[in-house]
Amino acid sequence: ALRTENIWPIDWSPEQPTTHYWFAQVRDVIEIHGLAPLQIDPEAQRLVQDWKSKNIGSDDYLTITLRDTYYPARNSHKDEWKKLVNWLSSDWDQRVVIVPDTEHAGDGRYTAIAAAAALNPMIRHALYADARMNLGVGGGPMTLCWFGGLPFMSFGMLRDNFNGMPEFYQKWGLPVGSQLPWAKPDQRIV
């Protein structure tokens, strides 16, 4: 059994995950003080630019972040994302960088920049910041986009689990069908 005495927030468990701060509190602070986007790390930005110049030149790219964790209810539906990648690549000639979940970063299926982004949040942030659009399931890494002023489309927010129920988002202050109050046109919860 998982020992939880040293886990924060108190009473967190995989079966009943909880959060300490609710989105409504974060939203209220942003409404008062404005969104202060995260600053991109210059070294991470240089690394992404070097990768881009060597691999795709001046072309734009999209990122797709796959979630594949111990908690299947919140994971990406990889077969559906694969269909989207094929469609974007073949029908629309789009470059797509697939960023894996951290535990799969080193299994050899992903590009070096995607694996590095999966392991290093500063590189992930720089990769997202340079992308034309960032796609993924809600929460986790996508919050770099949500709170970083970066373009995104977050999917799969409603799930049959503790923090995927409409009541959870209502409690957050983000009712189903709404968007982040500070969202720009290229920032959408779908």
Side-chain angles (χ1 to χ4, degrees):
L2 180 66
R3 294 178 56 198
T4 60
E5 66 269 10
N6 294 320
I7 294 179
W8 188 85
I10 296 168
D11 297 327
W12 185 94
S13 73
E15 297 78 29
Q16 193 68 15
T18 60
T19 57
H20 184 69
Y21 296 105
W22 290 102
F23 176 80
Q25 293 169 302
V26 174
R27 181 202 60 218
D28 292 347
V29 169
I30 291 171
E31 285 178 0
I32 293 167
H33 300 287
L35 181 64
L38 303 168
Q39 297 299 307
I40 300 165
D41 177 74
E43 185 60 25
Q45 187 175 33
R46 184 195 60 74
L47 184 78
V48 168
Q49 291 305 313
D50 287 351
W51 163 81
K52 187 176 176 183
S53 68
K54 292 175 186 169
N55 292 280
I56 62 172
S58 62
D59 289 352
D60 286 336
Y61 64 90
L62 310 171
T63 69
I64 293 178
T65 298
L66 297 178
R67 185 177 195 138
D68 188 13
T69 69
Y70 64 91
Y71 201 38
R74 297 185 66 200
N75 288 344
S76 301
H77 297 289
K78 290 186 277 189
D79 291 341
E80 297 302 314
W81 286 106
K82 187 175 183 178
K83 290 176 191 175
L84 178 63
V85 169
N86 291 337
W87 179 73
L88 289 169
S89 300
S90 62
D91 291 7
W92 292 92
D93 196 31
Q94 292 293 306
R95 305 282 185 153
V96 180
V97 178
I98 300 172
V99 181
D101 210 306
T102 302
E103 68 182 82
H104 301 287
D107 67 11
R109 292 182 290 162
Y110 302 96
T111 63
I113 195 68
L119 296 170
N120 184 313
M122 291 182 287
I123 296 172
R124 184 188 295 262
H125 184 229
L127 186 68
Y128 286 173
D130 191 60
R132 181 170 159 208
M133 180 58 69
N134 300 287
L135 310 169
V137 296
M142 293 306 292
T143 59
L144 281 172
C145 299
W146 293 11
F147 300 111
L150 306 177
F152 71 86
M153 292 177 75
S154 286
F155 298 87
M157 300 293 289
L158 295 176
R159 302 280 180 118
D160 189 22
N161 65 316
F162 167 74
N163 56 356
M165 304 300 275
E167 299 80 18
F168 180 84
Y169 291 102
Q170 185 70 40
K171 189 173 181 179
W172 262 27
L174 191 64
V176 173
S178 65
Q179 297 294 325
L180 300 172
W182 58 87
K184 298 181 285 190
D186 63 353
Q187 298 174 317
R188 287 288 169 250
I189 295 173
V190 181

